[in-house]
Amino acid sequence: MAAVDQSGMRFLRALSFLALSVLAGCLELEQTVVLNGDGSGKQAVRLAMKESTLRELARTSAAAQLSTAATDPTAVFDKVVVERDLVAAGMTLASHTAKTEAGVRTVALEAGFPTFTALQQSPLAGTAAEWVLAAGPKAGTAKLTLYPQGRTAWAEARAKAEAMQKEMDPVAADFFRRKQAQLAGLDLKVRFQLPGEVLVWTANMEKTGDREVTATITAEQIKTPQDLVRRLAPRFEVVFDASGCSLPLK
């Protein structure tokens, strides 16, 4: 069996985005990234899910594994395991609280990253995630982008959603009908807090403060197969005022 230090972070990735297509039952996941003017910052995650859903995830993970390395979906609740993964990525664990109440398991954790490069290596967004920090469209601005499943997956999902608008695949339509009822209780959030005023943001986010944007994914938003495809591999992007910052811009 593989050491569980890597499995917990793969678990977070599965929960945050792939859960839309494979899990049933209540799932709440909130992730906040605070970026400072020098590229350092902190990343916080709060997760709540039914123990029955967790057992289903464990069963699905075991059935889907492609190697002899087993994935332990309970690892994220283990402080020692989580801290080991974060240290390997160049981050530090500031807090970790896990508990079980009324059949629901919860965990809240916060980690610090000393540089933007460390955030790019963070296991908390999953191994497929791509973070990009670049110069914005105007002088003195910067652009932060997160592709939770990677840039290629986002481009492919966008193309597939556009194709589905023209001609619906019967298999995809049947898959969506079967999965839609299983998404009740889904509540995912991704929040960016920036070192300068928010200027522009993608349509799947909203400005929730002068220096903050938030993306929310709920079951109620997923009304068509195209909605599901787009939310499986999204892109979250924001342009903000970076004057006075010393960010490592591309």
Side-chain angles (χ1 to χ4, degrees):
M1 293 181 64
V4 295
D5 57 334
Q6 297 178 7
S7 62
M9 300 309 121
R10 289 197 296 270
F11 172 55
L12 274 177
R13 173 167 62 112
L15 286 180
S16 56
F17 299 98
L18 296 182
L20 289 170
S21 65
V22 300
L23 293 181
C26 178
L27 170 64
E28 297 179 10
L29 180 64
E30 182 174 324
Q31 181 170 179
T32 299
V33 171
V34 180
L35 182 67
N36 298 325
D38 62 355
S40 66
K42 60 184 179 181
Q43 188 174 18
V45 172
R46 184 184 63 82
L47 164 71
M49 68 185 306
K50 292 180 179 179
E51 289 194 288
S52 58
T53 305
L54 183 61
R55 288 193 294 270
E56 174 63 16
L57 177 63
R59 185 192 64 78
T60 303
S61 298
Q65 65 182 7
L66 301 179
S67 69
T68 58
T71 297
D72 180 5
T74 67
V76 70
F77 299 99
D78 188 325
K79 180 179 179 180
V80 173
V81 169
V82 171
E83 186 166 25
R84 193 186 313 165
D85 272 7
L86 290 170
V87 170
M91 301 175 66
T92 57
L93 180 64
S95 63
H96 182 286
T97 303
K99 59 183 179 180
T100 302
E101 292 182 350
V104 176
R105 296 193 69 174
T106 63
V107 62
L109 64 93
E110 183 177 301
F113 52 92
T115 64
F116 185 74
T117 299
L119 175 63
Q120 290 176 305
Q121 303 301 317
S122 171
L124 296 180
T127 56
E130 291 184 41
W131 292 91
V132 180
L133 184 59
K138 296 182 179 180
T141 66
K143 180 171 62 177
L144 176 65
T145 308
L146 168 61
Y147 301 93
Q149 294 301 317
R151 192 180 318 207
T152 299
W154 165 73
E156 292 175 349
R158 183 177 61 171
K160 183 174 182 179
E162 291 175 353
M164 292 170 71
Q165 288 181 331
K166 299 177 182 178
E167 183 177 357
M168 177 56 64
D169 181 347
V171 175
D174 180 63
F175 173 83
F176 174 73
R177 284 192 295 270
R178 288 185 286 109
K179 291 300 179 182
Q180 189 177 28
Q182 300 177 0
L183 298 174
L186 183 70
D187 187 0
L188 309 181
K189 288 185 174 63
V190 176
R191 181 179 298 106
F192 297 158
Q193 294 178 352
L194 294 314
E197 181 183 358
V198 170
L199 303 173
V200 182
W201 54 96
T202 46
N204 58 357
M205 307 191 85
E206 63 175 321
K207 187 175 181 180
T208 49
D210 289 343
R211 299 186 177 191
E212 179 183 279
V213 287
T214 304
T216 302
I217 299 175
T218 65
E220 291 73 23
Q221 296 174 350
I222 304 173
K223 299 177 180 179
T224 68
Q226 296 96 307
D227 292 338
L228 180 61
V229 168
R230 288 183 182 277
R231 284 163 174 78
L232 283 173
R235 178 193 65 172
F236 303 125
E237 188 170 88
V238 58
V239 176
F240 60 95
D241 181 7
S243 57
C245 296
S246 56
L247 296 167
L249 304 179
K250 287 188 175 182

